[in-house]
Amino acid sequence: MSSEAVPITVRILDKEYHVGCQPDEQDELYASARLLDERMREIRRSGRVIGTDRIAVMAALNIAHELILQRKAEAGAGNGTAKRLLMLQERIEAALAGRTAVDGRDETV
């Protein structure tokens, strides 16, 4: 279900950019532009980086770094979940095996 890109205008660091965007992705694009504008303004206010190009690169690097950290955290959380599920499965199997031994019934299929 692809539709025609719609031209929209975003404003980043007092400069307008015209971007083609799918209608169902406009909210995310506006949010992305706001985030980038905020980060670039923070970097410019710090006074340590001069020049719009350099400010944009520093903002992009910071945002990319945060994305990588988030992906690592999510991957780690996924591994922890998988480990916990495996432990629960083993405990259930052990409990069922203990139940079979105690009551003398074989409930295996």
Side-chain angles (χ1 to χ4, degrees):
M1 183 171 107
S2 67
S3 58
E4 199 71 25
V6 177
I8 64 169
T9 302
V10 295
R11 191 170 185 88
I12 301 170
L13 212 58
D14 302 322
K15 186 172 180 181
E16 288 189 351
Y17 295 89
H18 304 287
V19 182
C21 180
Q22 297 296 321
D24 60 339
E25 296 177 348
Q26 287 183 16
D27 291 339
E28 289 85 2
L29 180 60
Y30 284 125
S32 299
R34 279 191 304 275
L35 174 66
L36 182 56
D37 182 64
E38 290 169 7
R39 297 296 178 86
M40 288 179 69
R41 288 178 186 282
E42 288 171 11
I43 292 168
R44 185 173 67 179
R45 276 192 302 270
S46 76
R48 291 178 285 187
V49 181
I50 299 173
T52 305
D53 292 348
R54 289 178 184 255
I55 290 171
V57 168
M58 290 305 298
L61 284 172
N62 289 335
I63 293 169
H65 181 251
E66 290 173 8
L67 176 62
I68 288 169
L69 291 177
Q70 182 179 2
R71 285 181 177 172
K72 282 184 180 180
E74 289 173 359
N79 289 339
T81 301
K83 287 178 185 176
R84 283 192 300 258
L85 286 174
L86 182 60
M87 284 181 15
L88 284 172
Q89 183 178 3
E90 289 171 355
R91 288 177 66 188
I92 290 169
E93 288 173 0
L96 289 175
R99 182 173 160 217
T100 300
V102 170
D103 64 15
R105 290 186 296 182
D106 184 11
E107 296 180 5
T108 58
V109 179

